[in-house]
């Protein structure tokens, strides 16, 4: 059972398997980067590898094998001298072949695995009707597979690529070879075609009558306007990579989850007094419990941390039986998205009070306020009662990468669209919408968003460049 696999860190596994020793040769990382990656998808992939190959033995314990939650290592030859490492992050499944042999090269091993895994992913999509898409990316052998990866299409159009992690140029062919050797031999013009798998994932077209009744096109703007109050730079160092996945504002304090560095970043609303709270896990989502306390979900670590931001300490830990993602707090209860497809309502000890059914198996975010629950997947917004009954659904074809959601005092819904660099606002009845903020407002891959209902301010943060913005939101008099 994947959920019963023990947890471990990449560093510990590298030590136990011998990945960082001098006699271990490593290929570049092959990365399947998804718009949304359900954890169950990785479980299917792991099960396939278990059927194909023997799990590698762990050096520190000859009776144990390298099968962990979110990361596995397999022997792909009888000698055990050639291995494949399979792991995942929030939106990426990554593979790397390891060789302890004195022989040079990997032969056709990598390109054969690429072909088989690509076919497997497509088979899983069809078998389980998973409407998800991915792009093929790569990363240098000792690079971080979960950030600053190189898209295959761009690699094949340039002889060299600049690695922001190593601050040097890499030869493009060395990055994608030998994974793509067979692919390029079969299709010499492969580099001219997109590796995005949308052809296998036809869009789930909404019912035309529903669209006509619920999403009437209007020319007037929604009754809100925004004015920039403060632009902030929360990047701790120019050499540091940051993935800011979510944010909140509580009083005069801003809190950001820094996924790549396992920490919370905290500062005043004017950007002053920046400090961090180091964590043992990678934080993904955050919600306010009170002015001094937040709850943070940690994805594949199946853990929720209760943190006092005044004392900068973790006060309690809630262990979840499955991967936990989006999280919201309301009326003494935590609403937690489990594996992207169900919502558990639990108290602050982790006791599950009840579950809420949802209409999507790819929930990206959730917010609960008073008697309404709003959740989003990559292309739709669902507004529900607290028992899960859908009051309205909003969907537009041009919105395919919705990432985070928040609501204001009037019930208007605000969502970030990372791909189009925008914030969209949807009216409280789901009938009207408009782009509220765009790239011209400084947005560059915006992800985190939070509406402070006491001050009528909107906090938005970009995913990677360390920039955040506070906007004053006002209603227009009509």
């Amino acid at each position: 059972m994947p959920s019963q696999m023990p947890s471990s860190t990449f560093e510990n596994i590298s030590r136990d398997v011998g990945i960082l020793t001098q006699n271990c040769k490593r290929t570049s990382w092959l990365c399947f980067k998804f718009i949304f990656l359900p954890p169950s998808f990785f479980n299917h992939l792991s099960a396939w590898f278990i059927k194909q190959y023997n799990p590698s033995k762990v050096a520190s314990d000859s009776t144990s094998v390298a099968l962990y939650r979110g990361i596995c290592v397999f022997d792909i030859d009888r000698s055990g001298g050639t291995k494949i490492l399979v792991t995942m992050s929030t939106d990426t499944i990554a593979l790397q072949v390891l060789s302890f042999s004195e022989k040079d090269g990997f032969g056709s091993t990598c390109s054969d695995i690429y072909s088989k895994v690509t076919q497997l992913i497509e088979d899983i999509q069809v078998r389980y009707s998973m409407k998800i898409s991915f792009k093929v990316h790569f990363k240098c052998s000792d690079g971080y597979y979960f950030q600053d990866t190189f898209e295959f299409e761009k690699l094949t159009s340039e002889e060299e690529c600049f690695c922001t992690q190593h601050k040097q140029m890499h030869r493009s062919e060395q990055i994608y070879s030998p994974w793509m050797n067979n692919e390029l031999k079969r299709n010499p013009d492969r580099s001219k075609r997109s590796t995005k798998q949308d052809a296998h994932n036809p869009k789930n077209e909404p019912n035309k009558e529903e669209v006509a009744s619920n999403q009437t096109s209007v020319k007037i703007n929604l009754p809100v306007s925004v004015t920039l109050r403060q632009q902030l730079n929360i990047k701790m160092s120019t050499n540091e990579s940051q993935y800011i996945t979510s944010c909140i504002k509580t009083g005069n304090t801003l809190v950001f989850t820094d996924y790549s560095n396992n920490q919370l970043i905290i500062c005043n609303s004017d950007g002053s007094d920046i400090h961090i709270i180091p964590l043992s896990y990678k934080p993904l989502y955050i919600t306010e419990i009170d002015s001094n306390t937040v709850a943070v979900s940690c994805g594949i670590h199946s853990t929720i941390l209760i943190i006092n931001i005044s004392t900068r300490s973790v006060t309690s830990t809630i262990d979840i039986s499955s991967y936990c993602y989006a999280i919201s707090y309301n009326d003494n209860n935590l609403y937690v998205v489990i594996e992207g497809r169900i919502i558990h309502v639990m108290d602050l000890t982790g006791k599950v009070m009840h579950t809420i059914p949802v209409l999507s198996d790819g929930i990206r975010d959730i917010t609960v306020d008073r008697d309404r629950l709003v959740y989003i997947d990559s292309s739709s917004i669902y507004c529900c009662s607290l028992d899960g009954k859908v009051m309205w659904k909003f969907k537009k074809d041009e919105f395919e990468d919705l990432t985070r959601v928040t609501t204001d005092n009037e019930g208007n819904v605000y969502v970030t669209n990372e791909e189009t660099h925008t914030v969209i606002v949807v009216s409280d009845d789901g009938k009207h919408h408009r782009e509220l903020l765009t790239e011209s407002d400084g947005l560059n891959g915006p992800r985190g968003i939070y509406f402070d209902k006491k001050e009528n301010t909107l906090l938005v943060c970009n995913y990677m460049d360390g920039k955040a913005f506070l906007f004053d939101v006002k209603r227009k008099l009509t």
Side-chain angles (χ1 to χ4, degrees), residues 33-68:
K33 193 172 183 64
F34 293 76
I35 292 178
F36 174 77
L37 176 58
S40 58
F41 206 96
F42 182 80
N43 296 339
H44 285 293
L45 190 64
S46 300
W48 180 85
F49 272 99
I50 290 173
K51 291 180 180 178
Q52 301 295 317
Y53 308 111
N54 292 322
S56 297
K57 294 290 181 66
V58 177
S60 60
D61 183 355
S62 60
T63 63
S64 299
V65 292
L67 295 179
Y68 301 96

Side-chain angles (χ1 to χ4, degrees), residues 139-144 162-170:
K139 191 61 185 285
C140 37
S141 60
D142 59 346
Y144 299 137
F162 180 73
C163 177
T164 56
Q165 181 179 338
H166 296 114
K167 301 297 184 294
Q168 68 179 64
M169 300 295 289
H170 295 313

Side-chain angles (χ1 to χ4, degrees), residues 29 41 88 99 103 130 132 194 232 262 318 321 428 453:
W29 287 99
F41 206 96
M88 70 173 292
S99 176
K103 297 180 180 180
M130 291 184 175
I132 58 177
S194 173
L232 310 101
N262 293 25
I318 303 174
S321 59
D428 63 340
K453 297 179 175 64

